[in-house]
Amino acid sequence: MKSTLLSRAFFFVILSGLLWSCNKDDDKDPVIDAELTLEEEINNWIYDVMDEVYYWRLNLGTPIAATSDPTDYFKSLLYTPTDRFSAIYPDYQELINSLSGISLDPGYEFKLYRIPDSDDVYAEVLYVKRNSPAASKDLKRGDAIVAINGKQITVNNYRELLDETETTHTIKPLRYSDEAGAYVAMDDISITPVEFSEDPNFLDTVYTINNQKIGYVIYNFFAPGTASDNTKYDNEMDAIFAKLKAENVNNLVLDLRYNGGGYVSSAVNLASLIAPGVTNSDIFSRTKYNKLLASEIPALSSVKTAFLNKTQNLGNTLNSSRLYVLTSGGTASASELIINGLKPYMDVFLIGAVTYGKNVGSIAIEDEKNPDNAYGLLPIVTQSFNSLDQSDYSTGFTPNIAINENTERLKSLGDVNEIMLRTAIEQITGVPSSGRFIKIDREEVANTLDKKIRTGKMIESPIIK
């Protein structure tokens, strides 16, 4: 064959969490045609990769000129409209950092809403990340932002103003006052983004309500760890479940509303902490590759991922073997893999909105043979199935109870009166909340989470080296 990618046996599997680098002709030095432009070299590499590993390789698009911009060339190969997910990035290392929660970041996420009967827009803070620049400021969930760098946010300029938050910027925040019954202006806040490692384990706590012990875990993306400690976050999750188990929790609410995906290895770890009665003999998921890979490497024709044996597993203590999952339209990929993979083993009860609908996975690929090629590819290479061979969620999972957090003013995450957690608690206890909650009718314009590289990505464990 023209490449050694397929000539290796399956025992070249490398440790989960490392990323597969696409190596061409490993046994000899590269020969680069001096007459080729850099764009042609890059585009030839892109085509070779896609022609071997792309899940829909039989439906590759007709490539445009090899002298084209690599991003345009890559997009010309995609199987549209089926493939909504494959991506190319000018900087491979920036891609890898972002998938691990490391990026130049001010440290806060927000949604944008249109002010009724106006072109003006305001932002509402969703959450502030620990150890981030925003964490040291007087900024919290539910605060409204009406201006960035002194400019009122509008439907016409919000995209440009979002870009300005990637460098030092000033925001004009407002905070809702229950006493005043209105938003009150705060001092302007200046924030300088820095590169830091965001911890996906955002919050965990236990509530005792009506004799029910309820564990609550907010998990914002799937990443096993950092560059210096590649199991840090998975170990933190193990410790969280050990604590829940020690506190005799018998109900679990898993909040994935802001979780757009990430590494499959971390999804396996989390699922192994939740599913009742599973061992490493039970199948969590099945992974399918394109027919070329499956025929050249027989082991890829039937890839099964088993659960892990976890002493911290909570599944057997959960009432009715039920897991409550809080979802949104941004709940994607590895988050949906959790839902699909657990369904054969327990009752997965969804509260929120229809999930994103991504049952396919990617592998991050770089060109190690050409140092002048900094591009990174994130093509779709797999489709995921559960132990019953089910993969019918390309349009998302429909919640058992539809809830939209936009319909109320945001309360702190972890507040038992927060709309989505409140609904889960009502389901668990059977007792409706006695609070009075004011409904808001508002139109969402955009969401900063949509800009995150990890959104909608499911990063497979590497298979080829």
Side-chain angles (χ1 to χ4, degrees), residues 263-285:
Y263 288 85
V264 170
S265 60
S266 292
V268 176
N269 187 73
L270 177 57
S272 301
L273 293 165
I274 296 173
V278 296
T279 70
N280 58 6
S281 297
D282 296 302
I283 300 303
F284 169 63
S285 67

Side-chain angles (χ1 to χ4, degrees), residues 108 110 112 121 145-171 448 451:
Y108 65 103
F110 56 85
L112 293 168
V121 170
I145 299 169
V146 294
I148 297 174
N149 289 335
K151 291 169 278 192
Q152 169 68 48
I153 309 172
T154 71
V155 294
N156 299 312
N157 69 7
Y158 76 84
R159 293 179 181 86
E160 291 77 13
L161 292 182
L162 286 182
D163 290 339
E164 292 184 19
T165 65
E166 296 174 1
T167 58
T168 299
H169 60 281
T170 300
I171 58 175
T448 56
K451 296 186 68 177

Side-chain angles (χ1 to χ4, degrees), residues 9 37 72 116 128 151 166 213 243 245 261 290 314 326 334 346 348 386 395 414:
T37 65
D72 294 334
V128 176
K151 291 169 278 192
E166 296 174 1
K213 280 272 193 174
K243 180 174 65 175
K245 189 172 184 177
N290 70 42
L314 195 64
L326 307 187
M346 63 192 309
V348 183
N386 63 19
T395 57

Side-chain angles (χ1 to χ4, degrees), residues 110-147:
F110 56 85
K111 288 183 179 180
L112 293 168
Y113 300 98
R114 186 168 187 160
I115 296 175
D117 302 318
S118 170
D119 285 339
D120 289 344
V121 170
Y122 71 97
E124 186 172 36
V125 176
L126 296 175
Y127 62 92
V128 176
K129 302 168 187 178
R130 293 194 301 273
N131 303 317
S132 72
S136 63
K137 309 292 183 177
D138 185 17
L139 189 68
K140 66 180 184 179
R141 175 175 165 88
D143 286 346
I145 299 169
V146 294

Side-chain angles (χ1 to χ4, degrees), residues 55 74 101 109 115 131 175 251 261 271 300 312 422 442 449:
Y55 188 68
F74 176 82
E109 304 289 356
I115 296 175
N131 303 317
R175 181 165 294 164
N251 300 276
L300 293 188
Q312 306 91 342
R422 178 180 82 228
R442 51 184 177 176
L449 290 172

Side-chain angles (χ1 to χ4, degrees), residues 100-101 127 130 197-203 217-226 232-234 236-237 240 255 259 261 266 454:
S100 299
Y127 62 92
R130 293 194 301 273
S197 180
E198 178 186 352
D199 193 329
N201 298 301
F202 186 80
L203 183 149
V217 176
I218 301 178
Y219 190 50
N220 283 345
F221 59 98
F222 291 82
T226 66
K232 174 180 172 64
Y233 301 141
D234 282 352
E236 285 180 2
M237 185 63 82
I240 288 169
D255 194 336
N259 193 318
S266 292
R454 66 175 180 270

Side-chain angles (χ1 to χ4, degrees), residues 4 13 15 17 60 81 94 121 143 149 161 181 251 334 381 404 438 461:
T4 60
V13 173
L15 292 177
L60 275 176
E94 182 180 347
V121 170
D143 286 346
N149 289 335
L161 292 182
N251 300 276
V381 299
N404 184 349
I438 300 173
S461 301

Side-chain angles (χ1 to χ4, degrees), residues 22-146:
C22 182
N23 295 304
K24 298 286 183 177
D25 299 315
D26 286 347
D27 299 327
K28 59 183 180 180
D29 292 331
V31 177
I32 298 176
D33 190 335
E35 297 182 359
L36 294 180
T37 65
L38 179 59
E39 284 76 16
E40 289 175 307
E41 294 171 9
I42 294 172
N43 290 336
N44 287 343
W45 167 76
I46 290 172
Y47 187 87
D48 285 346
V49 170
M50 297 292 282
D51 192 39
E52 288 187 306
V53 305
Y54 190 46
Y55 188 68
W56 298 286
R57 67 175 296 273
L58 296 180
N59 302 102
L60 275 176
T62 302
I64 58 177
T67 54
S68 303
D69 174 80
T71 298
D72 294 334
Y73 184 86
F74 176 82
K75 289 180 178 179
S76 74
L77 300 178
L78 301 183
Y79 178 42
T80 55
T82 300
D83 183 3
R84 299 177 286 143
F85 311 107
S86 293
I88 183 173
Y89 300 94
D91 187 328
Y92 174 79
Q93 190 55 53
E94 182 180 347
L95 161 64
I96 297 307
N97 286 344
S98 293
L99 291 170
S100 299
I102 303 171
S103 61
L104 195 65
D105 192 338
Y108 65 103
E109 304 289 356
F110 56 85
K111 288 183 179 180
L112 293 168
Y113 300 98
R114 186 168 187 160
I115 296 175
D117 302 318
S118 170
D119 285 339
D120 289 344
V121 170
Y122 71 97
E124 186 172 36
V125 176
L126 296 175
Y127 62 92
V128 176
K129 302 168 187 178
R130 293 194 301 273
N131 303 317
S132 72
S136 63
K137 309 292 183 177
D138 185 17
L139 189 68
K140 66 180 184 179
R141 175 175 165 88
D143 286 346
I145 299 169
V146 294

